[in-house]
């Protein structure tokens, strides 16, 4: 189908993976960590994930979709965490097109139309 | 977005015809992409350069020479603009406004044809249409202009530092650009055909010119370019400009890395099929005359913004006109857009804020004997320590003697002029008189207390 998914955890793994695929369109979904039962501490992430996944087929060929768990709730709440500082993330879930100012934050991720727009925009 | 609030089905057709050099941009119009926003950011970059210099006198110590990177600045500015483009896309989508990146033109009554960049055409019909196509920079019409010169459409995303630059024009676009380019350390020359800032208070225009000249910007007055040739290709390359005097038979030549044309903007009204539906435009200027409800001579077609005849070309004005229009059409409101006493600011190195009449137009309208001008030079406290010019900042108000000395013109030349002017604009709208102004206690120590 022309795109692939990479699952990473934490800032370092994220940047390493993004760098590895430099040159290809990269989309990333940032969510809170999941517990042993696979449920995230972030309720909005739980809602957003299936909606985003349903639209993945709209990504351009050769895209890389990075699914990134950011850390536990305490880490996320720290205003100095690397995601906030370096990637300028303000909330989870965040869906973004890496290397561009295009992103959707929190409830924006619940709207399939907006997700589709992000994946198909020039 | 306003119309969508009232549950109307709305579509936006936005398309940017690329510049002669191939440049284009996203949703948001001139202001966001190639106007106010990048201009103010670059003006700020230049001000920060000045601040760094001043800072040494305030005790900051740094030994390295401070240099400027055009690429870093441009990347940051473009990134911000990109986030605005994206923000608008999201906002339109959320409000259920259909957006097409396509060139719209009227092909028949109530019908437009939209052509996208791949050439695909679609037809749309609607009950009402609003034209807000704005303007694009004018070219000189001389050999070499489109091939070698750039305009403000290209400047803010230029992928290389422009180097030694010739700015042709004396509009606020020309002076603002010349101002920040010089502030960033570049060698800048401004070629002026006649006067500076036509339409603005000339007393202030001259002070602005003097300030710029004293701060290292060269002015070549009463000349127009007649030819631009390329000496060497490059980013930037080297260009030779030949210019002729407007007074005598003198010809001069100069070499520059970049030539920036800022001689005026033309309305984008000639190729959108207006004649097909009978919308009258001013043949000479391309502008559209409208009534005080922004309606053209064709009742279902409206227009706002820079394309309007005899109206100030300002973003907030266009936005307000558009919003009020929609509220009148769909929400039963009656307020019309007030085009009088609109405040503006020119972001030249010495900023200029104004609201109301210039001295010349006040004299023309009311007669010299009926107006009183109060003025004052001032020295911003922040400029004292670094020993910056002590007699350049200036403020004046023009009062109508016959109407209780009502303030009909406000002009301020100094730092943060825009911020200062905003409040006074509101006061003028309320009918501020000289007496009321005198009885308002000043805030100290700020420039605005003058």
């Amino acid at each position: 189908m022309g795109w692939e998914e990479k699952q990473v955890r934490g800032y370092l793994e994220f940047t390493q993976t993004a760098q590895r695929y430099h040159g290809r369109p990269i989309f990333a979904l940032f969510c809170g960590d999941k517990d042993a039962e696979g449920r995230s501490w972030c309720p909005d992430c739980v809602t957003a994930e299936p909606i985003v996944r349903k639209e993945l087929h709209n990504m351009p060929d050769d895209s890389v979709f990075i699914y990134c768990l950011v850390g536990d709730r305490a880490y996320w709440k720290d205003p100095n965490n690397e995601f906030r500082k370096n990637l300028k993330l303000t909330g989870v879930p965040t869906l973004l097109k890496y290397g561009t100012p295009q992103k959707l934050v929190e409830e924006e991720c619940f709207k399939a139309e907006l997700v589709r727009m992000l994946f198909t925009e020039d | 977005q306003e119309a969508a609030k009232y549950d109307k089905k709305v579509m936006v057709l936005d398309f940017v015809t690329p510049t002669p050099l191939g440049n284009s941009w996203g949703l948001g119009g001139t202001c966001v992409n190639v106007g106010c926003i990048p201009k103010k950011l670059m003006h700020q970059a230049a001000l920060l350069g000045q601040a760094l210099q001043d800072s040494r006198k305030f005790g900051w110590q740094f030994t390295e020479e401070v240099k400027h990177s055009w690429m870093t600045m441009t990347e940051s500015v473009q990134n911000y603009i990109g986030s605005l483009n994206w923000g608008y896309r999201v906002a339109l989508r959320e409000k259920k406004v259909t957006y097409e990146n396509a060139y719209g033109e009227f092909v028949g009554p109530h019908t437009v044809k939209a052509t996208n960049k791949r050439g695909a055409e679609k037809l749309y019909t609607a009950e009402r249409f609003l034209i807000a196509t704005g303007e694009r920079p004018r070219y000189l019409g001389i050999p070499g202009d489109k091939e070698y010169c750039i305009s403000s459409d290209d400047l803010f995303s230029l992928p290389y530092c422009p180097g030694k630059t010739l700015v042709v024009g004396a509009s606020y676009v020309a002076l603002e650009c010349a101002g920040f380019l010089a502030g960033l350390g570049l060698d800048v020359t401004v070629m002026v055909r006649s006067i500076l800032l036509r339409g603005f208070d000339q007393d202030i225009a001259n002070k602005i010119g003097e300030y710029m000249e004293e701060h290292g910007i060269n002015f070549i007055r009463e000349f127009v370019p007649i030819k631009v040739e390329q000496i060497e290709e490059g980013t930037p390359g080297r260009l030779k400009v030949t210019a002729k005097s407007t007074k005598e038979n003198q010809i001069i030549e100069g070499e520059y890395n970049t030539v920036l044309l800022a001689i005026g903007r033309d309305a984008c009204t000639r190729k959108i099929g207006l004649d097909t539906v009978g919308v009258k435009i001013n043949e000479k200027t391309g502008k559209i005359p409208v009534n005080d409800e922004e309606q053209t001579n064709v009742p279902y077609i409206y227009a706002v913004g820079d394309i309007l005849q005899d109206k100030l070309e300002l973003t907030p004005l266009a936005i307000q006109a558009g919003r009020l229009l929609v509220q009148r059409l769909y929400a039963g409101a009656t307020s019309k857009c007030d085009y009088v006493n609109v405040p503006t600011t020119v972001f030249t190195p010495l900023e200029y804020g104004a609201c109301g009449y210039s001295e010349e137009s006040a004299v023309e309208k009311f007669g010299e004997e009926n107006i009183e001008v109060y003025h004052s030079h001032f020295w911003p406290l922040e400029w004292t320590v670094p020993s910056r010019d002590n007699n350049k900042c200036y403020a004046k108000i023009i009062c109508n003697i016959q109407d209780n000395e009502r303030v009909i013109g406000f002009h301020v030349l100094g730092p943060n002029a825009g911020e200062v002017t905003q409040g006074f604009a509101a006061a003028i709208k309320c009918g501020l008189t000289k007496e009321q102004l005198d009885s308002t206690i000043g805030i100290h120590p700020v420039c605005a207390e003058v």
Side-chain angles (χ1 to χ4, degrees), chain B residues 310-329:
Chain B
D310 297 326
K311 303 274 195 281
L312 283 169
E313 297 173 10
L314 297 166
T315 302
L317 192 54
I319 295 179
Q320 176 81 327
R323 281 217 180 103
L324 291 178
L325 169 66
V326 169
Q327 285 168 10
R328 287 195 304 271
L329 289 177

Side-chain angles (χ1 to χ4, degrees), chain B residues 232-303:
Chain B
E232 195 186 308
E233 248 187 86
T235 53
R238 282 163 56 217
L239 300 172
K240 179 166 107 169
V241 178
T242 311
K244 183 169 175 320
S245 162
T246 57
K247 294 265 155 94
E248 321 118 349
N249 264 336
Q250 209 195 347
I251 301 268
I252 56 171
E253 288 177 353
E255 189 185 309
Y256 305 92
N257 294 123
T258 298
V259 176
L260 170 68
L261 299 181
I263 54 172
R265 293 173 68 77
D266 290 321
C268 298
T269 50
R270 311 247 185 215
K271 297 195 189 145
I272 55 175
L274 290 182
D275 45 338
T276 312
V277 283
V279 172
K280 289 222 167 45
I281 65 172
N282 177 318
E283 276 309 319
K284 181 161 170 283
T285 62
K287 301 242 178 150
I288 305 183
V290 292
N291 63 16
D292 62 1
E293 300 197 344
E294 287 82 30
Q295 198 179 31
T296 67
N297 63 308
V298 177
Y300 64 89
I301 301 180
Y302 299 81

Side-chain angles (χ1 to χ4, degrees), chain A residues 10-11 70-79 81-84:
Chain A
Y11 183 74
V70 300
D72 62 23
R73 188 188 233 122
Y75 169 79
W76 182 252
K77 293 296 188 194
D78 171 15
N81 76 53
E82 291 134 315
F83 288 102
R84 290 188 195 269

Side-chain angles (χ1 to χ4, degrees), chain A residues 79-90:
Chain A
N80 283 325
N81 76 53
E82 291 134 315
F83 288 102
R84 290 188 195 269
K85 261 186 32 198
N86 304 337
L87 282 175
K88 308 277 187 274
L89 295 196
T90 52

Side-chain angles (χ1 to χ4, degrees), chain A residues 49-65:
Chain A
E49 196 180 327
I51 299 175
V52 171
R53 287 194 174 281
K54 234 165 134 202
E55 300 296 327
L56 288 179
H57 65 274
N58 285 311
M59 290 191 302
D61 275 345
D62 210 34
S63 291
V64 178
F65 173 66

